[in-house]
Amino acid sequence: MRIKTYTFIVIISIICLMLHSCYYKPFVGYTLNKKGFKNFSKKERMAGDNSNPARDYKINRYDWVVEVFPEQQRISGTMDIHLNTLSSQKVLLFDLQKKMRISSYHCSVEDAHINRKGDFLYLKFDKPVPKNTSLKLKISYEGKPANVASQGPVQWKKDKQDRFWISTVTEGIGPHFIMPCNALLNAEADSSSITVTVPDQLVAVANGRLTGVKNHKGNKTKTYRYQILNPINTYSLSFNLGHFVKLTKPYTDISGSERDLVFQVLDYNQDTASSFYDQTPIIFKELEKLYGGFPFWEDGSKFIESTFSAMEHQSGIAMGSNYRNNWKEFNTTLIHELAHEWWGNSVTGLDYCDIWMHEGMATYSEALVLERIYGPDAYDLRIKLAARRVKNTIPILKECGVLYNSWVNPADQDIYNKGALMMHSLRIVVDNDSLFFNTLADIQNDLAKQNVSTASLIAKFNNLLGNDYSSLFEYYLKEAKPPVLEVFIDKEEDKIYYRWQEEIPFYKDGEISIEQDDKEFHLIPTTAYKSIKLKNAIPISFQIEKSIYYTVKYQKEI
Ligand SMILES: [Zn+2]
């Protein structure tokens, strides 16, 4: 039994490592300062500054029209930015990566001029524009998007039949690499449209619902227009081009309405993809039971075969070609990306420093969905895997108000598994599953389609849970290390000595479990050493999944 379990864990671990989800890939290495963060440049601080007065406007709508030239790896387009000023303005700040050339622009307010400095785009007015002015800025631009370490923002690839297959991915790189926009996380447009013109043998698929296709026989192109009626993260706005075929699967949602789930897959993968995606309605239903109804039915739910592993593009999730399951009949990447529709796309961080709430909750959702399908052992195993992957070298709450050109240190990936382990710890401490799960659903309901800071989300948890769990959140978010259990093994006496390295304010008198020979022992550590005598001092295993998340530090003496 033990060998079987071990083998299963090893196999699952290997497959999980192979099946990356939307994990940030390192672009360039950086060194960390004493606080455990990158030393950000003045430009990075300015680009990520939420409090810059020149960003004091509300984006109402983006209308993005883009033509794609695969042979030249070039794009050309216009962006209509509809906004309202929130204060009197002499200058507005936008973002457009410097390789994109502006050919013309027009602003609905007279005497407005564009100045560019690096990746910053300033719209300057001769006369101050009053607060609450509705303004439309149209920018025509073109160029070859920068290639950031072959990761994006546009991946120009060929499929197995040597045909063009192209995807965009801008999270971590920045949406301004392919469109003029406000690249801050909190600058979501209320609605958007994406119009993509492509060579006529290719199908263009973007977020939202397809509202029209035009065939331009003269120049052998086709134009696809998509409408997005919901607020959307700017990095979610994306397109995919390829020889796609459309599959649909019926789904009865949690309210009893009949829906179609849409899958746009490469033609030669149609059969494989169709059987792979049979699991989608099951995952969908479990997520709806956990978090409430899918937030974006107006825009539909769609999965698009992308050139990279996966990304949670809202209402148009990118999924790679790896049509294999890694957890019995399920694929945890699919669970993860779909969970992002609730955590990340509906409830969104206010700043990129809050990104743990996207990734931590999506990763924790993997454990919760597996638990609902396969029972508590599957949950426990996913939590164990999370604990093994965490590096614990830097805090998962990042520095706020700075531009992240991707999370470029491998330790940054703790936002996934440590974020999940924090939620697991909260569940343990709350010790009331119905309250815990009602709270998750209530947060989804109360904060739907909003940008939320870490502090606001913690306050919301405390309020709904009826207790102050701030110290738990602070410990896991702001400390590099989780609680540490110091352990000394006395092999001669067959005794285990244990104590917390420091007091754990949110887990006083909290229990931990150790296992030996399929027997469980429950211990209540304090900051003073206690001991337990066992049949043999080794081997023992610490069952992290049965308690809050902590690490074990073995002592040579006490
Ligand atoms: Zn993710």
Side-chain angles (χ1 to χ4, degrees), residues 21-24 171 311-312 336-337 340 358-359 362-363 416:
S21 55
C22 48
Y23 286 73
Y24 303 110
E171 190 194 31
M311 182 55 70
E312 64 269 22
H336 180 106
E337 301 308 327
H340 270 309
H358 299 205
E359 301 305 347
T363 304
Y416 295 82

Side-chain angles (χ1 to χ4, degrees), residues 20-28 149 151 308-310 405-409 413 416:
H20 290 294
S21 55
C22 48
Y23 286 73
Y24 303 110
K25 309 271 194 326
F27 297 156
V28 283
Q151 298 292 321
F308 51 91
S309 52
N405 275 111
S406 177
W407 285 255
V408 290
N409 188 300
Q413 293 188 1
Y416 295 82

Side-chain angles (χ1 to χ4, degrees), residues 266-309:
L266 291 175
D267 48 10
Y268 55 76
N269 280 334
Q270 184 171 353
D271 293 341
T272 314
S274 181
S275 55
F276 172 82
Y277 280 123
D278 279 344
Q279 64 190 292
T280 318
I282 301 167
I283 297 170
F284 229 108
K285 185 55 67 69
E286 297 306 337
L287 287 168
E288 287 202 310
K289 285 179 187 168
L290 280 166
Y291 305 135
F294 177 66
F296 305 116
W297 282 126
E298 300 91 340
D299 297 326
S301 177
K302 186 165 53 194
F303 301 80
I304 310 161
E305 187 164 335
S306 59
T307 56
F308 51 91
S309 52

